Amino acid sequence: MAYSQSNGRTTLQGTAHASKGMTIKRGYAKLLLRFLVIAVILGTVFSFGAIVQAYAGDGSVTVSTPIPSAQPIADATQHEKVVIQSGDTLWGIAETHRKKGKNTRSYVEKLRAFNHLSNSSLQEGQVLLLP
């Protein structure tokens, strides 16, 4: 290696060892730059994944402990059951079993909601609970 001194500074002159020293520094800089780029990319990917996971949920909360209720459980009480025969309709059942003076249409809706029916079609042998 050759050194030269000018203005009180010692500098390394261009020899084989000097270029190797510069290569090591450039190699280190490249390695550091690659590491930083990969770290930024991974951080971005993981952040995006966390955001998607947070907003992709259905918004429901799962409760592992039962919550006591002041309302009695609907299944604990006895309800009158109707077994569907051929030709029975939800409207006909509602007219037969509704209370006097009550609207048939509203009773049909109660029957559908109480029995978790998505439409008014009935199958022979199906059992409906009356509210």
Side-chain angles (χ1 to χ4, degrees), residues 75-96:
D75 294 336
T77 60
Q78 294 293 330
H79 293 283
E80 187 177 349
K81 296 178 184 178
V82 174
V83 178
I84 304 302
Q85 303 297 322
S86 179
D88 283 349
T89 63
L90 206 54
W91 189 269
I93 293 169
E95 282 185 329
T96 306

Side-chain angles (χ1 to χ4, degrees), residues 45-57:
V45 168
F46 285 123
S47 298
F48 182 72
I51 291 169
V52 168
Q53 180 68 27
Y55 286 106

Side-chain angles (χ1 to χ4, degrees), residues 80 82 90-111 130-131:
E80 187 177 349
V82 174
L90 206 54
W91 189 269
I93 293 169
E95 282 185 329
T96 306
H97 296 284
R98 69 180 166 88
K99 294 180 181 175
K100 301 279 188 210
K102 295 292 181 182
N103 187 354
T104 305
R105 184 178 309 273
S106 63
Y107 195 74
V108 167
E109 291 304 316
K110 282 183 184 178
L111 278 171
L130 300 178

Side-chain angles (χ1 to χ4, degrees), residues 1-4 11-21:
M1 271 193 248
Y3 291 95
S4 71
T11 59
L12 189 60
Q13 296 292 320
T15 64
H17 295 289
S19 64
K20 285 184 183 177

Side-chain angles (χ1 to χ4, degrees), residues 62-73:
T62 305
V63 179
S64 60
T65 57
I67 299 173
S69 175
Q71 300 290 331
I73 299 174

Side-chain angles (χ1 to χ4, degrees), residues 31-47:
L31 183 65
L32 183 62
L33 182 65
R34 286 180 186 163
F35 175 77
L36 290 175
V37 168
I38 290 173
V40 168
I41 290 172
L42 286 176
T44 303
V45 168
F46 285 123
S47 298

